[in-house]
Amino acid sequence: MNAAGPAGLRVAVVGAGPAGFYTAGALAALRPDARIDLIERLPTPYGLVRFGVAPDHQDTKKIQGLFEQIALLPQLRFIGNVELGAAVSLAELRAHYDAVVLSCGAPHDAPLDIPGADLPGVYGAAQLVGWYNGHPDHAGLDPRLDHPGAVVIGNGNVAIDIARILSKSPDELASSDIAPYAMARIAQSVPGDVHVVGRRGPVEAKFTTGELGELADLAQAVALADPGEIPATAPDTLPVRDRKVKQKNLDLFHAFAAADPARHARRIRFHFFARPLAILGSERAEGVRFERTRMEDGRAVGTGDTFDLACGLVAYAIGYRPRPFEGLGAVADRLENDEGRIGPGIYVAGWLRRGPSGKIGTNRGDGEQVAARIAAEVAPAGRGGFEALAQLLNARGVRPTGFDDWKRIEAQETARATAGAPRGKVTSVEEMLAICAAG
Ligand code: NAP
């Protein structure tokens, strides 16, 4: 539906995740004349909320309700199944729209640059989280959980998500929207140790207290830490607010250090001051060699002492990278931009703008700022907008899907949900398109 007049601003927002929805919603409020096309590679909206947020964090996923309201605004059009760079180029979008906002995140894993990282059984967080969240790109990952050891490299909330999901019982996951195949695989996994390893210390770790605290109360796994690695108090050189947060984390680690390892057959073991040197194994991952570190000016420096952890699966959650965009400059984990503007008529929001950090709500301010810039500095130039895009896609044999198609997929997912679960996810694009076609 597009009720706005033909003379209005035409804006394409690429990527229907949190940054895209917040930007589109803010722009719709600021510029009632705008027609905003929210273009998404998959037939499903919501991006990181659907595929990144942990499946047992259903409260966080409730933000989808707000995004649905935005999608149903008369100025908005959801255009699924259209991939930038494949179905349409950035130059073509730019030609047909007054402004293009890139909000398609950072879908790739930052590389784990050590020997053996390409062995089977080694997965980046984007892959493994995508797998248990039913992302069509990763549904076929088939990770083996038949070894009593798993190693998670990284000390951020994604590392915690992975350790927790791998350690939860079927009952604990019953109310989640974990992909059914992942639920079955995790239920059959061999009990043992999930090692979470950080190259720096518990004070430097990026875990938030709420996420860490969840590990204290798992039904079939106990969280453990080495008392020798946990300082009694957070450094008083930290700003007061940071110190309070860090102290809460340290208190949790002290509780983990005092926990009885025999309480459960599954354990989440925190190891600090250890940087990965190599993945061990010939046919597939069999372990990880680490070098102990000491802190120098806030940096982890190798000491030469090494130790190995045996495992059958390695997950590295060490950050994400955007896909490359031809003709646009990138700095490590984001696109070069000036407060959300890349160049004439091209803007960027969310992780692509600021790098992979923050909570879902962090994208709100980002989107509002970019929307305000566009509203203030872009004028309509009589471009073709959706009609021109639709012609181009039609000529290429690309069938875009709409929000009503998504609602059909969603209805199927709701119908497939097992008791207590919000949905049973459809995890292949072919099946999604078949559901759309049947509707
Ligand atoms: P993150 O918080 O930036 O953590 C990345 C971790 O990887 C850090 O511990 C970092 O260590 C480590 N690392 C980086 N390169 C490494 C290397 N080469 N070798 C070993 N370790 C390395 O990233 P994230 O966990 O991917 O999370 C992304 C964002 O999403 C964060 O802002 C996070 O809070 C957010 N998130 C939030 C939730 C939630 O609120 N529930 C859940 C998931 C994610 P150094 O610190 O030493 O660099």
Side-chain angles (χ1 to χ4, degrees), residues 153-158 161 199-200 206 211 276 317-320 351 356-359:
I153 297 169
N155 266 187
N157 281 334
V158 173
D161 280 347
R199 59 184 173 183
R200 299 194 291 161
K206 291 173 173 160
E211 277 58 37
I318 60 172
Y320 297 102
W351 276 13
S357 67
K359 300 192 162 203

mmCIF file with all atom_site columns, all heavy atoms in Angstrom, residues 153-158 161 199-200 206 211 276 317-320 351 356-359, ligand 1:
data_model
loop_
_atom_site.group_PDB
_atom_site.id
_atom_site.type_symbol
_atom_site.label_atom_id
_atom_site.label_alt_id
_atom_site.label_comp_id
_atom_site.label_asym_id
_atom_site.label_entity_id
_atom_site.label_seq_id
_atom_site.pdbx_PDB_ins_code
_atom_site.Cartn_x
_atom_site.Cartn_y
_atom_site.Cartn_z
_atom_site.occupancy
_atom_site.B_iso_or_equiv
_atom_site.pdbx_formal_charge
_atom_site.auth_seq_id
_atom_site.auth_comp_id
_atom_site.auth_asym_id
_atom_site.auth_atom_id
_atom_site.pdbx_PDB_model_num
ATOM   1   N N   . ILE A 1 153 ? 35.123 -19.176 21.491 1.00 0.00 ? 153 ILE A N   1
ATOM   2   C CA  . ILE A 1 153 ? 36.163 -18.148 21.585 1.00 0.00 ? 153 ILE A CA  1
ATOM   3   C C   . ILE A 1 153 ? 35.504 -16.775 21.538 1.00 0.00 ? 153 ILE A C   1
ATOM   4   O O   . ILE A 1 153 ? 34.709 -16.493 20.636 1.00 0.00 ? 153 ILE A O   1
ATOM   5   C CB  . ILE A 1 153 ? 37.178 -18.304 20.428 1.00 0.00 ? 153 ILE A CB  1
ATOM   6   C CG1 . ILE A 1 153 ? 37.900 -19.656 20.543 1.00 0.00 ? 153 ILE A CG1 1
ATOM   7   C CG2 . ILE A 1 153 ? 38.176 -17.154 20.422 1.00 0.00 ? 153 ILE A CG2 1
ATOM   8   C CD1 . ILE A 1 153 ? 38.729 -20.011 19.318 1.00 0.00 ? 153 ILE A CD1 1
ATOM   9   N N   . GLY A 1 154 ? 35.833 -15.916 22.510 1.00 0.00 ? 154 GLY A N   1
ATOM   10  C CA  . GLY A 1 154 ? 35.243 -14.581 22.561 1.00 0.00 ? 154 GLY A CA  1
ATOM   11  C C   . GLY A 1 154 ? 34.564 -14.362 23.897 1.00 0.00 ? 154 GLY A C   1
ATOM   12  O O   . GLY A 1 154 ? 34.092 -15.315 24.527 1.00 0.00 ? 154 GLY A O   1
ATOM   13  N N   . ASN A 1 155 ? 34.539 -13.119 24.339 1.00 0.00 ? 155 ASN A N   1
ATOM   14  C CA  . ASN A 1 155 ? 33.946 -12.782 25.633 1.00 0.00 ? 155 ASN A CA  1
ATOM   15  C C   . ASN A 1 155 ? 32.904 -11.682 25.487 1.00 0.00 ? 155 ASN A C   1
ATOM   16  O O   . ASN A 1 155 ? 32.905 -10.678 26.202 1.00 0.00 ? 155 ASN A O   1
ATOM   17  C CB  . ASN A 1 155 ? 35.045 -12.331 26.618 1.00 0.00 ? 155 ASN A CB  1
ATOM   18  C CG  . ASN A 1 155 ? 35.565 -13.470 27.482 1.00 0.00 ? 155 ASN A CG  1
ATOM   19  O OD1 . ASN A 1 155 ? 36.342 -13.263 28.404 1.00 0.00 ? 155 ASN A OD1 1
ATOM   20  N ND2 . ASN A 1 155 ? 35.124 -14.677 27.191 1.00 0.00 ? 155 ASN A ND2 1
ATOM   21  N N   . GLY A 1 156 ? 32.008 -11.852 24.511 1.00 0.00 ? 156 GLY A N   1
ATOM   22  C CA  . GLY A 1 156 ? 30.889 -10.924 24.355 1.00 0.00 ? 156 GLY A CA  1
ATOM   23  C C   . GLY A 1 156 ? 29.584 -11.678 24.577 1.00 0.00 ? 156 GLY A C   1
ATOM   24  O O   . GLY A 1 156 ? 29.574 -12.889 24.831 1.00 0.00 ? 156 GLY A O   1
ATOM   25  N N   . ASN A 1 157 ? 28.478 -10.957 24.451 1.00 0.00 ? 157 ASN A N   1
ATOM   26  C CA  . ASN A 1 157 ? 27.172 -11.584 24.714 1.00 0.00 ? 157 ASN A CA  1
ATOM   27  C C   . ASN A 1 157 ? 26.838 -12.692 23.720 1.00 0.00 ? 157 ASN A C   1
ATOM   28  O O   . ASN A 1 157 ? 26.091 -13.611 24.045 1.00 0.00 ? 157 ASN A O   1
ATOM   29  C CB  . ASN A 1 157 ? 26.075 -10.523 24.698 1.00 0.00 ? 157 ASN A CB  1
ATOM   30  C CG  . ASN A 1 157 ? 26.044 -9.741  25.998 1.00 0.00 ? 157 ASN A CG  1
ATOM   31  O OD1 . ASN A 1 157 ? 26.457 -10.248 27.045 1.00 0.00 ? 157 ASN A OD1 1
ATOM   32  N ND2 . ASN A 1 157 ? 25.569 -8.507  25.930 1.00 0.00 ? 157 ASN A ND2 1
ATOM   33  N N   . VAL A 1 158 ? 27.397 -12.609 22.509 1.00 0.00 ? 158 VAL A N   1
ATOM   34  C CA  . VAL A 1 158 ? 27.109 -13.680 21.549 1.00 0.00 ? 158 VAL A CA  1
ATOM   35  C C   . VAL A 1 158 ? 27.733 -14.991 22.022 1.00 0.00 ? 158 VAL A C   1
ATOM   36  O O   . VAL A 1 158 ? 27.128 -16.064 21.916 1.00 0.00 ? 158 VAL A O   1
ATOM   37  C CB  . VAL A 1 158 ? 27.592 -13.296 20.127 1.00 0.00 ? 158 VAL A CB  1
ATOM   38  C CG1 . VAL A 1 158 ? 27.448 -14.474 19.178 1.00 0.00 ? 158 VAL A CG1 1
ATOM   39  C CG2 . VAL A 1 158 ? 26.800 -12.094 19.600 1.00 0.00 ? 158 VAL A CG2 1
ATOM   40  N N   . ASP A 1 161 ? 25.437 -16.333 24.544 1.00 0.00 ? 161 ASP A N   1
ATOM   41  C CA  . ASP A 1 161 ? 24.233 -16.909 23.908 1.00 0.00 ? 161 ASP A CA  1
ATOM   42  C C   . ASP A 1 161 ? 24.521 -18.334 23.435 1.00 0.00 ? 161 ASP A C   1
ATOM   43  O O   . ASP A 1 161 ? 23.737 -19.252 23.656 1.00 0.00 ? 161 ASP A O   1
ATOM   44  C CB  . ASP A 1 161 ? 23.827 -16.074 22.676 1.00 0.00 ? 161 ASP A CB  1
ATOM   45  C CG  . ASP A 1 161 ? 23.057 -14.808 23.033 1.00 0.00 ? 161 ASP A CG  1
ATOM   46  O OD1 . ASP A 1 161 ? 22.620 -14.681 24.192 1.00 0.00 ? 161 ASP A OD1 1
ATOM   47  O OD2 . ASP A 1 161 ? 22.893 -13.956 22.139 1.00 0.00 ? 161 ASP A OD2 1
ATOM   48  N N   . ARG A 1 199 ? 40.521 -13.615 25.602 1.00 0.00 ? 199 ARG A N   1
ATOM   49  C CA  . ARG A 1 199 ? 41.972 -13.320 25.574 1.00 0.00 ? 199 ARG A CA  1
ATOM   50  C C   . ARG A 1 199 ? 42.351 -12.326 26.670 1.00 0.00 ? 199 ARG A C   1
ATOM   51  O O   . ARG A 1 199 ? 43.516 -12.208 27.029 1.00 0.00 ? 199 ARG A O   1
ATOM   52  C CB  . ARG A 1 199 ? 42.383 -12.797 24.203 1.00 0.00 ? 199 ARG A CB  1
ATOM   53  C CG  . ARG A 1 199 ? 41.675 -11.536 23.757 1.00 0.00 ? 199 ARG A CG  1
ATOM   54  C CD  . ARG A 1 199 ? 42.094 -11.161 22.344 1.00 0.00 ? 199 ARG A CD  1
ATOM   55  N NE  . ARG A 1 199 ? 41.315 -10.037 21.829 1.00 0.00 ? 199 ARG A NE  1
ATOM   56  C CZ  . ARG A 1 199 ? 41.441 -9.545  20.618 1.00 0.00 ? 199 ARG A CZ  1
ATOM   57  N NH1 . ARG A 1 199 ? 42.324 -10.081 19.783 1.00 0.00 ? 199 ARG A NH1 1
ATOM   58  N NH2 . ARG A 1 199 ? 40.708 -8.539  20.217 1.00 0.00 ? 199 ARG A NH2 1
ATOM   59  N N   . ARG A 1 200 ? 41.341 -11.593 27.171 1.00 0.00 ? 200 ARG A N   1
ATOM   60  C CA  . ARG A 1 200 ? 41.627 -10.685 28.293 1.00 0.00 ? 200 ARG A CA  1
ATOM   61  C C   . ARG A 1 200 ? 40.909 -11.209 29.545 1.00 0.00 ? 200 ARG A C   1
ATOM   62  O O   . ARG A 1 200 ? 40.544 -12.377 29.597 1.00 0.00 ? 200 ARG A O   1
ATOM   63  C CB  . ARG A 1 200 ? 41.202 -9.259  27.925 1.00 0.00 ? 200 ARG A CB  1
ATOM   64  C CG  . ARG A 1 200 ? 41.981 -8.761  26.695 1.00 0.00 ? 200 ARG A CG  1
ATOM   65  C CD  . ARG A 1 200 ? 41.850 -7.267  26.495 1.00 0.00 ? 200 ARG A CD  1
ATOM   66  N NE  . ARG A 1 200 ? 40.499 -6.877  26.102 1.00 0.00 ? 200 ARG A NE  1
ATOM   67  C CZ  . ARG A 1 200 ? 40.037 -5.639  26.216 1.00 0.00 ? 200 ARG A CZ  1
ATOM   68  N NH1 . ARG A 1 200 ? 40.813 -4.701  26.696 1.00 0.00 ? 200 ARG A NH1 1
ATOM   69  N NH2 . ARG A 1 200 ? 38.812 -5.361  25.816 1.00 0.00 ? 200 ARG A NH2 1
ATOM   70  N N   . LYS A 1 206 ? 33.157 -8.379  27.734 1.00 0.00 ? 206 LYS A N   1
ATOM   71  C CA  . LYS A 1 206 ? 32.075 -7.482  27.324 1.00 0.00 ? 206 LYS A CA  1
ATOM   72  C C   . LYS A 1 206 ? 30.690 -8.015  27.692 1.00 0.00 ? 206 LYS A C   1
ATOM   73  O O   . LYS A 1 206 ? 29.684 -7.475  27.241 1.00 0.00 ? 206 LYS A O   1
ATOM   74  C CB  . LYS A 1 206 ? 32.172 -7.228  25.824 1.00 0.00 ? 206 LYS A CB  1
ATOM   75  C CG  . LYS A 1 206 ? 33.409 -6.397  25.492 1.00 0.00 ? 206 LYS A CG  1
ATOM   76  C CD  . LYS A 1 206 ? 33.625 -6.266  24.003 1.00 0.00 ? 206 LYS A CD  1
ATOM   77  C CE  . LYS A 1 206 ? 34.759 -5.292  23.718 1.00 0.00 ? 206 LYS A CE  1
ATOM   78  N NZ  . LYS A 1 206 ? 35.300 -5.477  22.368 1.00 0.00 ? 206 LYS A NZ  1
ATOM   79  N N   . GLU A 1 211 ? 22.874 -11.115 30.996 1.00 0.00 ? 211 GLU A N   1
ATOM   80  C CA  . GLU A 1 211 ? 23.181 -12.303 30.188 1.00 0.00 ? 211 GLU A CA  1
ATOM   81  C C   . GLU A 1 211 ? 24.032 -13.290 30.990 1.00 0.00 ? 211 GLU A C   1
ATOM   82  O O   . GLU A 1 211 ? 23.804 -14.494 30.973 1.00 0.00 ? 211 GLU A O   1
ATOM   83  C CB  . GLU A 1 211 ? 23.916 -11.903 28.903 1.00 0.00 ? 211 GLU A CB  1
ATOM   84  C CG  . GLU A 1 211 ? 23.014 -11.459 27.775 1.00 0.00 ? 211 GLU A CG  1
ATOM   85  C CD  . GLU A 1 211 ? 22.123 -10.296 28.122 1.00 0.00 ? 211 GLU A CD  1
ATOM   86  O OE1 . GLU A 1 211 ? 22.564 -9.394  28.864 1.00 0.00 ? 211 GLU A OE1 1
ATOM   87  O OE2 . GLU A 1 211 ? 20.971 -10.295 27.678 1.00 0.00 ? 211 GLU A OE2 1
ATOM   88  N N   . PRO A 1 276 ? 43.708 -17.732 21.359 1.00 0.00 ? 276 PRO A N   1
ATOM   89  C CA  . PRO A 1 276 ? 43.803 -18.947 20.543 1.00 0.00 ? 276 PRO A CA  1
ATOM   90  C C   . PRO A 1 276 ? 45.027 -18.890 19.625 1.00 0.00 ? 276 PRO A C   1
ATOM   91  O O   . PRO A 1 276 ? 45.298 -17.866 19.006 1.00 0.00 ? 276 PRO A O   1
ATOM   92  C CB  . PRO A 1 276 ? 42.506 -18.908 19.718 1.00 0.00 ? 276 PRO A CB  1
ATOM   93  C CG  . PRO A 1 276 ? 42.105 -17.468 19.680 1.00 0.00 ? 276 PRO A CG  1
ATOM   94  C CD  . PRO A 1 276 ? 42.607 -16.846 20.942 1.00 0.00 ? 276 PRO A CD  1
ATOM   95  N N   . ALA A 1 317 ? 33.114 -16.211 18.394 1.00 0.00 ? 317 ALA A N   1
ATOM   96  C CA  . ALA A 1 317 ? 32.184 -15.066 18.443 1.00 0.00 ? 317 ALA A CA  1
ATOM   97  C C   . ALA A 1 317 ? 33.028 -13.841 18.714 1.00 0.00 ? 317 ALA A C   1
ATOM   98  O O   . ALA A 1 317 ? 33.087 -13.333 19.831 1.00 0.00 ? 317 ALA A O   1
ATOM   99  C CB  . ALA A 1 317 ? 31.155 -15.297 19.547 1.00 0.00 ? 317 ALA A CB  1
ATOM   100 N N   . ILE A 1 318 ? 33.730 -13.398 17.675 1.00 0.00 ? 318 ILE A N   1
ATOM   101 C CA  . ILE A 1 318 ? 34.748 -12.339 17.855 1.00 0.00 ? 318 ILE A CA  1
ATOM   102 C C   . ILE A 1 318 ? 34.414 -11.113 17.007 1.00 0.00 ? 318 ILE A C   1
ATOM   103 O O   . ILE A 1 318 ? 35.282 -10.334 16.674 1.00 0.00 ? 318 ILE A O   1
ATOM   104 C CB  . ILE A 1 318 ? 36.157 -12.878 17.524 1.00 0.00 ? 318 ILE A CB  1
ATOM   105 C CG1 . ILE A 1 318 ? 36.252 -13.365 16.071 1.00 0.00 ? 318 ILE A CG1 1
ATOM   106 C CG2 . ILE A 1 318 ? 36.534 -14.002 18.481 1.00 0.00 ? 318 ILE A CG2 1
ATOM   107 C CD1 . ILE A 1 318 ? 37.682 -13.727 15.641 1.00 0.00 ? 318 ILE A CD1 1
ATOM   108 N N   . GLY A 1 319 ? 33.154 -10.959 16.664 1.00 0.00 ? 319 GLY A N   1
ATOM   109 C CA  . GLY A 1 319 ? 32.733 -9.794  15.895 1.00 0.00 ? 319 GLY A CA  1
ATOM   110 C C   . GLY A 1 319 ? 32.290 -10.179 14.492 1.00 0.00 ? 319 GLY A C   1
ATOM   111 O O   . GLY A 1 319 ? 32.437 -11.338 14.070 1.00 0.00 ? 319 GLY A O   1
ATOM   112 N N   . TYR A 1 320 ? 31.732 -9.209  13.803 1.00 0.00 ? 320 TYR A N   1
ATOM   113 C CA  . TYR A 1 320 ? 31.150 -9.441  12.475 1.00 0.00 ? 320 TYR A CA  1
ATOM   114 C C   . TYR A 1 320 ? 31.716 -8.463  11.454 1.00 0.00 ? 320 TYR A C   1
ATOM   115 O O   . TYR A 1 320 ? 32.302 -7.437  11.809 1.00 0.00 ? 320 TYR A O   1
ATOM   116 C CB  . TYR A 1 320 ? 29.628 -9.274  12.551 1.00 0.00 ? 320 TYR A CB  1
ATOM   117 C CG  . TYR A 1 320 ? 28.957 -10.274 13.467 1.00 0.00 ? 320 TYR A CG  1
ATOM   118 C CD1 . TYR A 1 320 ? 28.549 -9.908  14.748 1.00 0.00 ? 320 TYR A CD1 1
ATOM   119 C CD2 . TYR A 1 320 ? 28.752 -11.579 13.070 1.00 0.00 ? 320 TYR A CD2 1
ATOM   120 C CE1 . TYR A 1 320 ? 27.938 -10.820 15.591 1.00 0.00 ? 320 TYR A CE1 1
ATOM   121 C CE2 . TYR A 1 320 ? 28.143 -12.501 13.902 1.00 0.00 ? 320 TYR A CE2 1
ATOM   122 C CZ  . TYR A 1 320 ? 27.744 -12.119 15.159 1.00 0.00 ? 320 TYR A CZ  1
ATOM   123 O OH  . TYR A 1 320 ? 27.146 -13.030 15.988 1.00 0.00 ? 320 TYR A OH  1
ATOM   124 N N   . TRP A 1 351 ? 24.323 -1.487  12.182 1.00 0.00 ? 351 TRP A N   1
ATOM   125 C CA  . TRP A 1 351 ? 25.668 -2.069  12.288 1.00 0.00 ? 351 TRP A CA  1
ATOM   126 C C   . TRP A 1 351 ? 26.559 -1.628  11.130 1.00 0.00 ? 351 TRP A C   1
ATOM   127 O O   . TRP A 1 351 ? 27.758 -1.463  11.287 1.00 0.00 ? 351 TRP A O   1
ATOM   128 C CB  . TRP A 1 351 ? 25.574 -3.600  12.314 1.00 0.00 ? 351 TRP A CB  1
ATOM   129 C CG  . TRP A 1 351 ? 25.291 -4.146  13.674 1.00 0.00 ? 351 TRP A CG  1
ATOM   130 C CD1 . TRP A 1 351 ? 24.871 -3.433  14.766 1.00 0.00 ? 351 TRP A CD1 1
ATOM   131 C CD2 . TRP A 1 351 ? 25.429 -5.506  14.105 1.00 0.00 ? 351 TRP A CD2 1
ATOM   132 N NE1 . TRP A 1 351 ? 24.735 -4.280  15.839 1.00 0.00 ? 351 TRP A NE1 1
ATOM   133 C CE2 . TRP A 1 351 ? 25.065 -5.549  15.469 1.00 0.00 ? 351 TRP A CE2 1
ATOM   134 C CE3 . TRP A 1 351 ? 25.812 -6.684  13.467 1.00 0.00 ? 351 TRP A CE3 1
ATOM   135 C CZ2 . TRP A 1 351 ? 25.084 -6.736  16.207 1.00 0.00 ? 351 TRP A CZ2 1
ATOM   136 C CZ3 . TRP A 1 351 ? 25.830 -7.865  14.203 1.00 0.00 ? 351 TRP A CZ3 1
ATOM   137 C CH2 . TRP A 1 351 ? 25.466 -7.891  15.560 1.00 0.00 ? 351 TRP A CH2 1
ATOM   138 N N   . PRO A 1 356 ? 29.366 -3.611  14.558 1.00 0.00 ? 356 PRO A N   1
ATOM   139 C CA  . PRO A 1 356 ? 28.460 -4.556  15.214 1.00 0.00 ? 356 PRO A CA  1
ATOM   140 C C   . PRO A 1 356 ? 28.457 -4.430  16.726 1.00 0.00 ? 356 PRO A C   1
ATOM   141 O O   . PRO A 1 356 ? 29.143 -5.176  17.425 1.00 0.00 ? 356 PRO A O   1
ATOM   142 C CB  . PRO A 1 356 ? 29.009 -5.922  14.771 1.00 0.00 ? 356 PRO A CB  1
ATOM   143 C CG  . PRO A 1 356 ? 30.457 -5.679  14.515 1.00 0.00 ? 356 PRO A CG  1
ATOM   144 C CD  . PRO A 1 356 ? 30.607 -4.252  14.078 1.00 0.00 ? 356 PRO A CD  1
ATOM   145 N N   . SER A 1 357 ? 27.695 -3.478  17.225 1.00 0.00 ? 357 SER A N   1
ATOM   146 C CA  . SER A 1 357 ? 27.654 -3.289  18.676 1.00 0.00 ? 357 SER A CA  1
ATOM   147 C C   . SER A 1 357 ? 26.283 -2.790  19.099 1.00 0.00 ? 357 SER A C   1
ATOM   148 O O   . SER A 1 357 ? 25.530 -2.240  18.297 1.00 0.00 ? 357 SER A O   1
ATOM   149 C CB  . SER A 1 357 ? 28.709 -2.258  19.087 1.00 0.00 ? 357 SER A CB  1
ATOM   150 O OG  . SER A 1 357 ? 28.335 -1.001  18.574 1.00 0.00 ? 357 SER A OG  1
ATOM   151 N N   . GLY A 1 358 ? 25.993 -3.009  20.357 1.00 0.00 ? 358 GLY A N   1
ATOM   152 C CA  . GLY A 1 358 ? 24.769 -2.468  20.942 1.00 0.00 ? 358 GLY A CA  1
ATOM   153 C C   . GLY A 1 358 ? 23.606 -3.440  20.896 1.00 0.00 ? 358 GLY A C   1
ATOM   154 O O   . GLY A 1 358 ? 23.678 -4.506  20.303 1.00 0.00 ? 358 GLY A O   1
ATOM   155 N N   . LYS A 1 359 ? 22.531 -3.026  21.584 1.00 0.00 ? 359 LYS A N   1
ATOM   156 C CA  . LYS A 1 359 ? 21.326 -3.849  21.620 1.00 0.00 ? 359 LYS A CA  1
ATOM   157 C C   . LYS A 1 359 ? 20.423 -3.471  20.449 1.00 0.00 ? 359 LYS A C   1
ATOM   158 O O   . LYS A 1 359 ? 20.697 -2.504  19.735 1.00 0.00 ? 359 LYS A O   1
ATOM   159 C CB  . LYS A 1 359 ? 20.593 -3.603  22.939 1.00 0.00 ? 359 LYS A CB  1
ATOM   160 C CG  . LYS A 1 359 ? 21.455 -3.962  24.141 1.00 0.00 ? 359 LYS A CG  1
ATOM   161 C CD  . LYS A 1 359 ? 20.636 -3.999  25.404 1.00 0.00 ? 359 LYS A CD  1
ATOM   162 C CE  . LYS A 1 359 ? 21.417 -4.779  26.437 1.00 0.00 ? 359 LYS A CE  1
ATOM   163 N NZ  . LYS A 1 359 ? 20.611 -5.352  27.478 1.00 0.00 ? 359 LYS A NZ  1
HETATM 164 P P1  . NAP B 2 .   ? 31.617 -8.122  21.296 1.00 0.00 ? 1   NAP B P1  1
HETATM 165 O O1  . NAP B 2 .   ? 30.779 -7.761  22.464 1.00 0.00 ? 1   NAP B O1  1
HETATM 166 O O2  . NAP B 2 .   ? 32.335 -7.046  20.594 1.00 0.00 ? 1   NAP B O2  1
HETATM 167 O O3  . NAP B 2 .   ? 32.669 -9.239  21.796 1.00 0.00 ? 1   NAP B O3  1
HETATM 168 C C1  . NAP B 2 .   ? 33.653 -9.734  20.922 1.00 0.00 ? 1   NAP B C1  1
HETATM 169 C C2  . NAP B 2 .   ? 34.654 -10.543 21.724 1.00 0.00 ? 1   NAP B C2  1
HETATM 170 O O4  . NAP B 2 .   ? 35.559 -11.144 20.810 1.00 0.00 ? 1   NAP B O4  1
HETATM 171 C C3  . NAP B 2 .   ? 35.505 -9.731  22.710 1.00 0.00 ? 1   NAP B C3  1
HETATM 172 O O5  . NAP B 2 .   ? 35.639 -10.455 23.890 1.00 0.00 ? 1   NAP B O5  1
HETATM 173 C C4  . NAP B 2 .   ? 36.838 -9.617  21.991 1.00 0.00 ? 1   NAP B C4  1
HETATM 174 O O6  . NAP B 2 .   ? 37.945 -9.516  22.858 1.00 0.00 ? 1   NAP B O6  1
HETATM 175 C C5  . NAP B 2 .   ? 36.884 -10.963 21.298 1.00 0.00 ? 1   NAP B C5  1
HETATM 176 N N1  . NAP B 2 .   ? 37.811 -11.023 20.180 1.00 0.00 ? 1   NAP B N1  1
HETATM 177 C C6  . NAP B 2 .   ? 37.875 -10.206 19.100 1.00 0.00 ? 1   NAP B C6  1
HETATM 178 N N2  . NAP B 2 .   ? 38.847 -10.617 18.262 1.00 0.00 ? 1   NAP B N2  1
HETATM 179 C C7  . NAP B 2 .   ? 39.414 -11.704 18.845 1.00 0.00 ? 1   NAP B C7  1
HETATM 180 C C8  . NAP B 2 .   ? 40.459 -12.579 18.467 1.00 0.00 ? 1   NAP B C8  1
HETATM 181 N N3  . NAP B 2 .   ? 41.111 -12.403 17.312 1.00 0.00 ? 1   NAP B N3  1
HETATM 182 N N4  . NAP B 2 .   ? 40.779 -13.602 19.294 1.00 0.00 ? 1   NAP B N4  1
HETATM 183 C C9  . NAP B 2 .   ? 40.121 -13.781 20.454 1.00 0.00 ? 1   NAP B C9  1
HETATM 184 N N5  . NAP B 2 .   ? 39.106 -12.995 20.858 1.00 0.00 ? 1   NAP B N5  1
HETATM 185 C C10 . NAP B 2 .   ? 38.760 -11.955 20.070 1.00 0.00 ? 1   NAP B C10 1
HETATM 186 O O7  . NAP B 2 .   ? 30.788 -8.849  20.142 1.00 0.00 ? 1   NAP B O7  1
HETATM 187 P P2  . NAP B 2 .   ? 29.590 -9.898  20.139 1.00 0.00 ? 1   NAP B P2  1
HETATM 188 O O8  . NAP B 2 .   ? 29.599 -10.798 21.292 1.00 0.00 ? 1   NAP B O8  1
HETATM 189 O O9  . NAP B 2 .   ? 29.630 -10.435 18.759 1.00 0.00 ? 1   NAP B O9  1
HETATM 190 O O10 . NAP B 2 .   ? 28.304 -8.968  20.267 1.00 0.00 ? 1   NAP B O10 1
HETATM 191 C C11 . NAP B 2 .   ? 27.994 -7.977  19.269 1.00 0.00 ? 1   NAP B C11 1
HETATM 192 C C12 . NAP B 2 .   ? 27.061 -6.933  19.887 1.00 0.00 ? 1   NAP B C12 1
HETATM 193 O O11 . NAP B 2 .   ? 25.767 -7.514  20.079 1.00 0.00 ? 1   NAP B O11 1
HETATM 194 C C13 . NAP B 2 .   ? 27.540 -6.482  21.251 1.00 0.00 ? 1   NAP B C13 1
HETATM 195 O O12 . NAP B 2 .   ? 27.300 -5.103  21.420 1.00 0.00 ? 1   NAP B O12 1
HETATM 196 C C14 . NAP B 2 .   ? 26.678 -7.287  22.188 1.00 0.00 ? 1   NAP B C14 1
HETATM 197 O O13 . NAP B 2 .   ? 26.516 -6.717  23.476 1.00 0.00 ? 1   NAP B O13 1
HETATM 198 C C15 . NAP B 2 .   ? 25.377 -7.351  21.410 1.00 0.00 ? 1   NAP B C15 1
HETATM 199 N N6  . NAP B 2 .   ? 24.567 -8.479  21.878 1.00 0.00 ? 1   NAP B N6  1
HETATM 200 C C16 . NAP B 2 .   ? 23.692 -8.260  22.864 1.00 0.00 ? 1   NAP B C16 1
HETATM 201 C C17 . NAP B 2 .   ? 22.952 -9.297  23.370 1.00 0.00 ? 1   NAP B C17 1
HETATM 202 C C18 . NAP B 2 .   ? 21.996 -9.031  24.479 1.00 0.00 ? 1   NAP B C18 1
HETATM 203 O O14 . NAP B 2 .   ? 21.815 -7.892  24.857 1.00 0.00 ? 1   NAP B O14 1
HETATM 204 N N7  . NAP B 2 .   ? 21.365 -10.059 25.028 1.00 0.00 ? 1   NAP B N7  1
HETATM 205 C C19 . NAP B 2 .   ? 23.110 -10.586 22.879 1.00 0.00 ? 1   NAP B C19 1
HETATM 206 C C20 . NAP B 2 .   ? 24.032 -10.806 21.855 1.00 0.00 ? 1   NAP B C20 1
HETATM 207 C C21 . NAP B 2 .   ? 24.759 -9.723  21.366 1.00 0.00 ? 1   NAP B C21 1
HETATM 208 P P3  . NAP B 2 .   ? 38.608 -8.081  23.183 1.00 0.00 ? 1   NAP B P3  1
HETATM 209 O O15 . NAP B 2 .   ? 37.636 -7.402  24.084 1.00 0.00 ? 1   NAP B O15 1
HETATM 210 O O16 . NAP B 2 .   ? 39.882 -8.442  23.808 1.00 0.00 ? 1   NAP B O16 1
HETATM 211 O O17 . NAP B 2 .   ? 38.759 -7.373  21.855 1.00 0.00 ? 1   NAP B O17 1
#
